[in-house]
Amino acid sequence: MVDLPPPTAPPLRTPAFLLWPVDHPNAPFPEWFNCARSSEIAKFDADVGPVGIERWLPGLFQSYRHGYPPTVLYHVPEGCPTARPVLAPF
C-alpha cells in the first residue's frame, strides 16, 4: 500500500441550493432559510396570463393555478441553517 501525502487544501464543501416558489399562498418561505434570501441565483417566471373570467375580474388571476409558479433558486451559504424536522399538528 502506498502512503499518500496529506491534501494541500481542505476539501471543498458541496454547494447547497434551495428552490422555492415566490409568494405562493400554500408555501410560505421557511424562516430558517432567511439567511439564503440575499443569495438569489435565478428566477423562473411562468409565461401565463389570465384566461376566461379572470380577464374581467381584477385580483382573480393567480399564476400558480395555471402551472408551475414563479420560483427562485437560492444558494444556501455555508453556516446557513438547514431544514429542521417539524412535528405534525396532530
Side-chain angles (χ1 to χ4, degrees), residues 10-26:
L12 296 175
R13 176 181 175 262
T14 303
F17 300 94
L18 173 67
L19 188 63
W20 204 263
V22 177
D23 299 326
H24 193 293
N26 297 323

Side-chain angles (χ1 to χ4, degrees), residues 26-81:
N26 297 323
F29 194 84
E31 292 179 20
W32 54 91
F33 276 111
N34 278 339
C35 50
R37 275 198 187 247
S38 62
S39 302
E40 185 176 314
I41 295 175
K43 183 174 182 180
F44 168 78
D45 199 2
D47 187 19
V48 296
V51 295
I53 197 167
E54 295 172 333
R55 294 180 187 156
W56 298 289
L57 297 174
L60 188 61
F61 174 70
Q62 295 172 329
S63 63
Y64 68 89
R65 292 184 176 189
H66 293 277
Y68 205 76
T71 304
V72 174
L73 176 65
Y74 300 94
H75 173 257
V76 179
E78 191 169 347
C80 187

